[in-house]
Amino acid sequence: MKIRIVAFGIAKDIIKGKELTMDLDNGNSISAVREQLSSIYPEFSKLSSLRFAVNADYVEDSYELKSGDELVLIPPVSGG
Amino acid sequence: MLSKEELIRYNRQIILPDFGIDGQQKLKAASVLVIGAGGLGAPNLLYLAAAGVGHIGIMDFDEVSLSNLHRQVLFNEQSVGKNKAQVAKDKLTELNPNVRLQIYEEPITAQNAMEIIGAYDLVVDGSDNLPTRYLVNDACYFLEKPLVYGAIFRFEGQVSVFNYADENGLRGPNYRDLFPSPPPPDMVPSCSEGGVLGVLPGIIGAMQANEVIKIITGIGTTLSGKLFLYDAQDVSTRTLNIQANPDNPLSGVNPTLTELIDYEAFCSNLVEAIQNEITVQELQELKKADSIHLLDVREDYEYDIANIGGQLIPLNQVVDRVLEIPNDRPVVVMCKSGGRSQNAIDLLKKEGFDNLINLKGGILAWQKEIDHNMDTY
């Protein structure tokens, strides 16, 4: 299953762009996506506390993604 | 009561539908603390003072520098080298002498936060670092004050309202629902490290001021329970719904945080400690902050004699039970004195874990340094 990933903040630096389409290899849960992202982009493992939003809602790690879902990555931002 | 001068000054917002004299009087009666008089602080302070908020606290220990001027529009060349809160007070007095201004030329700390924040109705977070953001969030939660959050990075901004009580008294989510624990500092660049577009804090800070005015006057709806994201590069916006996190150490099902902690340690030491070891004192802080998972690899009978609430998986079972060990947050591994836990870490690293920290001295050090009443063996 393919999903679209949209990155904000430092996550844009890690995936080297704002958007990414990813084929899910190891299951459709958020934790599976987290693992897959960390294996492709090792820097993601440093963002272990990163929460994921699907479409317009923050979701838990157990959430199962559906085809066509848009996954949004929002790391903390500290500037003021 | 509003004076004739005030009625004229605020006329254009008093005549707004739903605003009226009543809205203006609510602003005059309100007190707002603005933490950080920098990029976000400037538009907040200018618009809140201009709108007639009766009492504004300005908190900033820092001095104006030349590299601030492209975005911190409260200041000019003559301000360079002077305290930001003091310069802001002088400017705002010229803008609107009806506003009572109080300045704090000091950083906000776990020692002064409760007293200072406690004196205001509402807080604006315009700070520039994560330890302060967690500190302000936690203090506002304990004091039941609404917190208007804004943060910027390069071309992007975030705005939300935390800890806001609705008409039924139910409090909305807070910063820890959004970001439960801080990532390593190199993953959160500041404006001085990552750069920032000068106009961005103007946009995001003005949006914060708008939330403040709505909260005080009761007009419209707020960003409570929502995170607003703005990207100046492609003018894209997004509003995400934030859920209360049941594991939130402040407001979750089993709260573990009941007082302010050491936020510098919370945001930095943990990271340096990863792949290394920590002391029992550091563990005590991390346990309070609920930012780690604790794994105890001793035998059942040892655990029965003395334990500090860790997950029990004896050393000879850890490899078979790896699925029970979290890999998405730091895990502190402990035993009696620190040897078996290091063996467990070596075994688990081969299984792909990179989030393990050894507890130096084990339960014996805890008994000696932290809890003398604990049984030892």
Side-chain angles (χ1 to χ4, degrees), chain A residues 9 46 49 51 56-57 70, chain B residues 156 177 181 186 231 238 241:
Chain A
K46 287 207 238 170
S49 66
R51 300 271 315 276
D57 294 296
E70 182 184 70
Chain B
E156 291 173 22
D177 290 308
S181 57
D186 64 333
D231 187 337
R238 218 171 256 270
N241 299 312

Side-chain angles (χ1 to χ4, degrees), chain A residues 23-42:
Chain A
D23 240 325
L24 298 186
D25 299 333
N26 311 312
N28 300 335
S29 69
I30 294 292
S31 35
V33 175
R34 202 186 276 280
E35 266 177 47
Q36 197 173 335
L37 275 173
S38 295
S39 67
I40 306 170
Y41 307 99

